[in-house]
Amino acid sequence: MQPQQSNPSQPTVQEQEMLELINRMRLNPVGELDLLINSADADVNFALDYFNVDLDVLQTQWANLQPVQPLAWSDQLQEAAQNHNQLMIQADTQSHQLPGELNLSQRIANTGYNWSTVGENVYTYADSVFHGHAGFAIDWGFTSTGIQASHGHRNNIMNSNFREVGLSIIPENDPATQVGSLVITQNFGNRFNFGNSWLMGVVFDDQITDDQFYSIGEGLGGINVTAVNTTTNERFTTTTWNAGGYQMQLSTGTYQVTFAGDWDDDGQTDTETRQVTIGSENIKLDLDTDELIPTPEPTSESDSKTDTQTPSDSTTETDSKTDTQTPSDSTTETDSKTDTQTPSDSNTEIDSTPNTQTSTSELTSEPESEPTTTDNQSPLKCSASDDHLQGSADKDIIAGCLGNDIIYGKEGNDILRGDFNHRSSGGMVGGDDIIYGGKGNDRIGGKGGNDFLYGGDDHDRIWGDDGDDLLWGGLGDDTLTGDDFSGGQGSDTFVLALGEGTDTIIDFHLGEDFLGLANGLTFEELTITQGSGGNKGHALISSGDETLARLKGVDANDLIAITSGSAAIANPVFVDV
């Protein structure tokens, strides 16, 4: 008997789900497209509408995809992905290379992965695993087709050169950060001297979502998996991870694969045996135990088994391109990275290592609002006059036109915009709008005009954009962005009030913007200090034991100098509202 094969860095349940989604797409891209564009997922459906994805173009592009072998899990690629994710969260941004960080190929090499081909996808604004997968696969973005021009994320997923992947998915729900709800990095790779192909799969009970596919919470850990070579009788064993996945590298041959465990919870060991043939490519063999538990019937014996991946179902290597090179023409290392905040960038940087290739691709999200937060509804209609638009108890998308509009989001996590439903700042043209978020974690953009923007309850994100705007977060820890960060300009007022949480104020300009004091709050009650630790580099404004706001990038001494009149700036900072 050969030693048991193990994988010390197990995927989380979210990472296992992402691994299953990637391999489902690689094995059956035609079926995946239908699952993506006809899903019941509200965030995916919203993104399709929001980016106005041209489904005809998408289907034409998709027709060129061919099945490719599934990807096995790599501890080392996961380590690199995890480290990069943590840096993106610390920097509160999305990028393939943070300041002071090594490039992709160096990061991968430092984990000990002897790579011949590597690639990377990043998305820091996913709302769920499926939403992140759809973003990569569809590759939505701000183009005339709603699809990123190079569709590099999709290319990475379907690249036939890749044989392994490392995934990191970190939940990030800090209201003071822009990134989240899930921060995702996918590192794809292949190695020199790769060795035997992988047999991998997942054991699950399919009792949470009965769809013959793995869902979070369905994985069965601790199931013994034994593969016996039918010619040599060599035996290989492993045990499923906590999330339900397993894998083992096997030499070429035909194997009887036996799963053993008490999956029907009757105190007895259950077994199921399948046969696979291992060749030059990875093979996936799943076990849905829900299909193995018999349902008593009065007229027949139930012995229902699921179909599995057999050698005749195995995939073939195709010529899947990454960015500017085809895999067969790979003669230089390409470390393609994006360092700007635009969704369509996928630039390449050429290095000099022969016979190797890397590719990177990121889904970016402009500061105003990520395409992640509402259901499949079209924006409410507006007119050229002054409109009064009101949402519902659900997630709404509401956008005014160029009049002086009043918009109420009411309940739900709404996206509310003053002038038209787009994410650019809107220019100086626009009405003077009044927008109330209401309940829920809302995203509010003033666009053009001098707007009054009030978040209401919960943790809201508000962008003033162009014009002289008033931004008031209301209850909850809110994030308030004036203009420069969201592409606009103007003199904005950020409102502070007692008992409403700690707000994060972005792009506050001394001598140009104001801090409004509401509900009887006075300047004499305030304390201004320089932050430390996680607030290093930011000014903190407090009243007693309550921190009212942190001003990102503002020096407390400069703020104090202005308020004391010792600075050469005439504008007051604190005003009553």
Side-chain angles (χ1 to χ4, degrees):
M1 177 182 292
Q2 298 294 321
Q4 177 166 318
Q5 300 195 23
S6 64
N7 194 314
S9 179
Q10 298 186 8
T12 66
V13 291
Q14 290 175 318
E15 291 160 358
Q16 184 71 49
E17 183 183 29
M18 179 66 81
L19 179 62
E20 298 306 310
L21 290 167
I22 289 171
N23 281 332
R24 184 177 71 181
M25 178 171 169
R26 286 174 66 90
L27 290 167
N28 183 12
V30 173
E32 190 70 14
L33 179 59
D34 181 67
L35 294 170
L36 290 169
I37 65 176
N38 294 308
S39 80
D41 188 279
D43 295 312
V44 172
N45 289 330
F46 165 66
L48 290 170
D49 288 342
Y50 182 87
F51 289 102
N52 195 24
V53 174
D54 189 324
L55 297 183
D56 290 334
V57 171
L58 182 64
Q59 289 170 337
T60 299
Q61 294 176 353
W62 214 274
N64 294 318
L65 300 179
Q66 298 296 320
V68 290
Q69 63 180 309
L71 301 177
W73 178 265
S74 166
D75 294 339
Q76 294 161 320
L77 293 176
Q78 194 276 341
E79 178 186 344
Q82 183 86 354
N83 292 339
H84 185 65
N85 255 0
Q86 291 170 344
L87 288 176
M88 288 195 294
I89 292 172
Q90 291 173 15
D92 196 16
T93 191
Q94 176 172 282
S95 174
H96 283 295
Q97 188 173 5
L98 281 301
E101 185 185 23
L102 298 174
N103 66 27
L104 173 62
S105 59
Q106 293 170 316
R107 298 198 307 265
I108 298 297
N110 280 359
T111 69
Y113 192 82
N114 185 26
W115 64 271
S116 60
T117 305
V118 290
E120 181 176 80
N121 290 341
V122 299
Y123 192 14
T124 61
Y125 304 102
D127 273 352
S128 68
V129 175
F130 182 70
H131 175 250
H133 169 68
F136 289 137
I138 296 169
D139 232 342
W140 54 57
F142 293 105
T143 67
S144 60
T145 64
I147 304 167
Q148 294 198 31
S150 65
H151 38 86
H153 310 92
R154 190 191 314 148
N155 290 345
N156 275 345
I157 292 174
M158 295 302 299
N159 189 327
S160 63
N161 275 354
F162 295 141
R163 300 191 69 180
E164 295 173 316
V165 68
L167 308 170
S168 174
I169 301 178
I170 300 180
E172 173 57 29
N173 295 308
D174 184 348
T177 61
Q178 299 293 318
V179 298
S181 301
L182 296 180
V183 177
I184 302 173
T185 294
Q186 301 176 333
N187 281 344
F188 303 88
N190 198 349
R191 294 177 277 124
F192 291 114
N193 304 315
F194 188 87
N196 295 328
S197 297
W198 287 101
L199 170 67
M200 92 286 290
V202 64
V203 180
F204 64 106
D205 62 17
D206 205 28
Q207 294 189 25
I208 294 178
T209 305
D210 189 8
D211 57 357
Q212 290 75 57
F213 186 74
Y214 176 91
S215 299
I216 290 176
E218 293 181 344
L220 299 179
I223 301 297
N224 293 321
V225 185
T226 303
V228 179
N229 189 299
T230 59
T231 300
T232 66
N233 287 323
E234 286 183 291
R235 180 183 297 264
F236 304 85
T237 64
T238 190
T239 303
T240 58
W241 307 320
N242 294 337
Y246 77 94
Q247 62 186 40
M248 58 178 80
Q249 280 189 287
L250 300 175
S251 58
T252 300
T254 299
Y255 291 81
Q256 295 286 343
V257 181
T258 300
F259 302 88
D262 183 16
W263 49 70
D264 60 2
D265 295 322
D266 65 354
Q268 304 296 319
T269 298
D270 306 299
T271 63
E272 178 68 8
T273 299
R274 306 287 173 84
Q275 181 170 294
V276 297
T277 297
I278 303 296
S280 61
E281 295 188 339
N282 298 336
I283 291 293
K284 195 172 195 302
L285 177 63
D286 298 335
L287 184 67
D288 177 1
T289 63
D290 188 48
E291 297 294 323
L292 302 176
I293 301 174
T295 302
E297 297 183 18
T299 58
S300 64
E301 179 182 2
S302 175
D303 186 17
S304 173
K305 298 182 180 180
T306 56
D307 293 332
T308 61
Q309 182 76 30
T310 64
S312 61
D313 296 325
S314 65
T315 60
T316 58
E317 181 177 353
T318 62
D319 187 12
S320 174
K321 298 182 180 180
T322 55
D323 294 338
T324 59
Q325 290 183 304
T326 63
S328 60
D329 294 333
S330 176
T331 58
T332 61
E333 173 188 348
T334 57
D335 188 6
S336 166
K337 60 186 180 180
T338 305
D339 56 10
T340 58
Q341 198 72 346
T342 60
S344 58
D345 287 341
S346 184
N347 301 323
T348 58
E349 174 182 317
I350 306 300
D351 203 347
S352 57
T353 304
N355 301 319
T356 57
Q357 169 182 318
T358 70
S359 65
T360 63
S361 193
E362 68 174 301
L363 279 178
T364 60
S365 183
E366 292 180 356
E368 198 259 303
S369 67
E370 294 71 47
T372 57
T373 56
T374 90
D375 60 6
N376 186 23
Q377 298 185 42
S378 299
L380 297 181
K381 299 299 182 181
C382 64
S383 66
S385 59
D386 300 339
D387 296 305
H388 186 160
L389 306 173
Q390 184 165 291
S392 66
D394 298 321
K395 299 178 181 179
D396 300 300
I397 311 166
I398 306 177
C401 289
L402 296 180
N404 301 322
D405 305 311
I406 299 176
I407 300 174
Y408 293 88
K410 297 187 72 174
E411 299 179 14
N413 301 333
D414 305 313
I415 288 181
L416 311 173
R417 295 190 171 108
D419 306 300
F420 298 118
N421 187 40
H422 55 75
R423 298 173 56 170
S424 62
S425 63
M428 295 304 293
V429 177
D432 299 335
D433 305 307
I434 299 173
I435 303 179
Y436 297 92
K439 295 182 179 179
N441 301 323
D442 304 308
R443 303 189 180 192
I444 301 172
K447 305 302 167 189
N450 303 321
D451 306 309
F452 178 96
L453 311 172
Y454 182 77
D457 295 345
D458 302 307
H459 308 308
D460 306 305
R461 295 183 181 184
I462 304 177
W463 291 263
D465 300 313
D466 277 310
D468 300 335
D469 305 306
L470 186 145
L471 293 78
W472 188 343
L475 294 176
D477 299 330
D478 307 300
T479 302
L480 313 178
T481 301
D483 40 55
D484 285 357
F485 189 76
S486 55
Q489 55 184 332
S491 177
D492 302 308
T493 301
F494 303 88
V495 177
L496 309 179
L498 292 172
E500 293 192 345
T502 302
D503 294 333
T504 297
I505 299 174
I506 298 175
D507 71 5
F508 181 86
H509 297 287
L510 293 170
E512 180 178 329
D513 296 324
F514 302 93
L515 295 169
L517 305 180
N519 298 340
L521 181 65
T522 65
F523 174 72
E524 288 71 25
E525 298 176 76
L526 302 181
T527 302
I528 302 172
T529 59
Q530 189 67 33
S532 60
N535 288 313
K536 184 178 180 180
H538 312 314
L540 303 180
I541 300 176
S542 306
S543 179
D545 295 332
E546 182 180 355
T547 301
L548 304 181
R550 66 170 184 165
L551 279 61
K552 294 191 70 172
V554 174
D555 187 281
N557 292 326
D558 292 340
L559 182 58
I560 292 171
I562 293 177
T563 58
S564 65
S566 60
I569 296 178
N571 282 22
V573 175
F574 294 91
V575 296
D576 293 328
V577 296

